[in-house]
Amino acid sequence: MTLLPPTPEQQKRIDAELAPDPETRKRDVAALREWLAKQPHLPDHIDDARLERFLFGCKNSIERCKSILERYFTVRTAIPEFFALRDPFAREVQECYQATHYFVLPSLTEEGHRVSVLRLRDAAIDKFSIQAISRKILMVLDTRLMEERCLSNVMVIDLEGFSVGHFTKCSPTQNIVRKSMLAVQDGMPFRLHKVHFLHAPAFIESILKIIYPLLKDRLVEKFRVHTGGGEELHAYMDKNILPNEWGGKAGSFDELNDAWQKKIERNKDWFLREEKLSRTNESARLPNARSKLLTELDGLQGSFRQLNID
């Protein structure tokens, strides 16, 4: 699956928000490289191209980038549920591709945002796993970090096929839910523009009230809840960039999902290598370098309220 680059018009919009300056970027990357060398607990194998993408995602803020790099590597050590056994051909990974659709659309929106879609491929509750879905999402995000930078992201979560049982299944894995949010929200240099929920069931407000406390306020403000399907997105983006089933021309759900599966499988060696390299050495962490993320993880007590859905 090829991620198409910005059109000239989209590039103008992106440059207007984050003007390119090759010399400044070069100095910033050198500054980050110097900082990494002084952090004995962090790996230093990351290449300049990926550092540039981190910087871009952090709006060229070196301090913000340092914070994200710290969390990016720390979650890979602290939350092995998502970052171990990332062989694309492992049974758990393959089963997740059969149970869920998760893919990134090839074309950007007119504003320069990249669109990702998450939906059930198999509605059987026993095939639904928050841990497996989180691992799949993070593998796709890592793949994107190797290939591109974009202004911001739009997430589309299609709830068609979801039942009370799917949401109830989240309750005993409450810590996994919180860990997933920590890894995706704060451990990746991707900015979020909007989150669209499609086919929202009647009990969606009950679900959101439970999830809201786990989210940052600025993230909740980006939510848009729709009772209809993909046609609801036409008011927000050019429908041609959407999957065929939603009136677009990007390809079918299965084609897009399978293309991303093949892309990740082609990167098997990278994932296996990164699984070993992109880790913190906690024994070498300096006392004043205690990660806020580790503190947050230590504080998880499993107090996520039970689901009571009318």
Side-chain angles (χ1 to χ4, degrees):
M1 171 58 64
T2 300
L3 293 174
L4 300 177
T7 64
E9 187 59 35
Q10 290 167 341
Q11 190 62 56
K12 287 180 182 178
R13 293 178 183 235
I14 294 172
D15 291 346
E17 182 164 340
L18 285 173
D21 184 346
E23 288 303 314
T24 298
R25 187 177 301 123
K26 185 177 180 179
R27 289 195 298 269
D28 288 347
V29 168
L32 288 171
R33 181 75 63 202
E34 181 180 358
W35 174 78
L36 282 169
K38 294 178 180 178
Q39 311 303 312
H41 64 292
L42 296 182
D44 61 359
H45 69 287
I46 189 169
D47 58 71
D48 286 357
R50 201 152 37 130
L51 280 179
E52 284 191 18
R53 295 185 191 107
F54 269 88
L55 264 172
F56 189 87
C58 295
K59 300 182 74 171
N60 294 330
S61 167
I62 292 180
E63 292 308 310
R64 170 66 175 161
C65 194
K66 289 178 182 178
S67 175
I68 292 295
L69 283 166
E70 166 67 42
R71 297 179 75 99
Y72 176 85
F73 291 120
T74 298
V75 294
R76 281 155 171 71
T77 306
I79 315 180
E81 299 95 317
F82 305 144
F83 299 102
L85 302 176
R86 297 178 96 195
D87 182 342
F89 293 96
R91 178 178 57 81
E92 296 87 348
V93 178
Q94 291 285 318
E95 287 179 349
C96 187
Y97 272 101
Q98 296 306 311
T100 61
H101 286 128
Y102 179 69
F103 50 82
V104 186
L105 295 178
S107 298
L108 295 163
T109 67
E110 292 181 3
E111 297 80 12
H113 306 306
R114 186 67 75 184
V115 182
S116 300
V117 175
L118 174 65
R119 64 190 308 278
L120 293 179
R121 191 175 194 174
D122 185 336
I125 295 176
D126 63 340
K127 301 291 182 63
F128 179 70
S129 167
I130 291 290
Q131 182 171 320
I133 292 171
S134 299
R135 182 188 287 118
K136 180 178 180 180
I137 289 173
L138 288 161
M139 290 177 78
V140 169
L141 292 176
D142 266 330
T143 301
R144 288 181 58 194
L145 268 177
M146 288 190 285
E147 294 188 4
E148 70 150 1
R149 57 187 186 181
C150 72
L151 190 59
S152 191
N153 294 269
V154 174
M155 182 72 183
V156 180
I157 302 176
D158 185 358
L159 298 175
E160 185 174 24
F162 275 82
S163 67
V164 172
H166 289 93
F167 292 105
T168 304
K169 197 173 181 181
C170 297
S171 184
T173 57
Q174 56 216 266
N175 280 356
I176 290 292
V177 174
R178 179 59 180 146
K179 287 177 180 179
S180 173
M181 291 176 178
L182 284 173
V184 176
Q185 283 187 88
D186 299 325
M188 284 286 186
F190 291 104
R191 287 177 284 149
L192 190 62
H193 177 65
K194 286 286 185 297
V195 179
H196 293 276
F197 293 93
L198 305 180
H199 292 110
F203 54 82
I204 186 65
E205 288 302 323
S206 298
I207 298 297
L208 293 178
K209 285 178 182 178
I210 296 171
I211 295 176
Y212 282 158
L214 301 177
L215 305 174
K216 297 178 179 179
D217 290 342
R218 67 176 183 270
L219 176 58
V220 174
E221 294 170 357
K222 300 175 187 293
F223 285 4
R224 299 292 182 270
V225 179
H226 312 280
T227 56
E231 70 279 358
E232 302 270 13
L233 300 174
H234 297 178
Y236 297 88
M237 62 191 75
D238 180 357
K239 71 175 185 179
N240 288 327
I241 75 170
L242 296 172
N244 299 353
E245 291 89 341
W246 292 344
K249 300 178 180 178
S252 70
F253 292 146
D254 284 350
E255 289 170 343
L256 292 163
N257 189 74
D258 294 350
W260 270 93
Q261 179 180 355
K262 290 182 174 62
K263 178 190 279 284
I264 288 196
E265 289 173 353
R266 288 195 295 271
N267 287 319
K268 173 184 176 179
D269 292 344
W270 184 90
F271 279 108
L272 296 180
R273 183 173 63 253
E274 283 289 305
E275 189 174 319
K276 297 176 181 178
L277 297 177
S278 288
R279 299 174 60 84
T280 56
N281 180 358
E282 292 302 325
S283 64
R285 186 186 289 273
L286 299 175
N288 63 352
R290 171 68 175 174
S291 171
K292 182 180 177 183
L293 180 139
L294 291 176
T295 302
E296 292 177 61
L297 289 173
D298 289 344
L300 285 177
Q301 298 298 323
S303 58
F304 195 90
R305 292 173 291 170
Q306 293 293 315
L307 290 175
N308 292 307
I309 301 172
D310 298 326

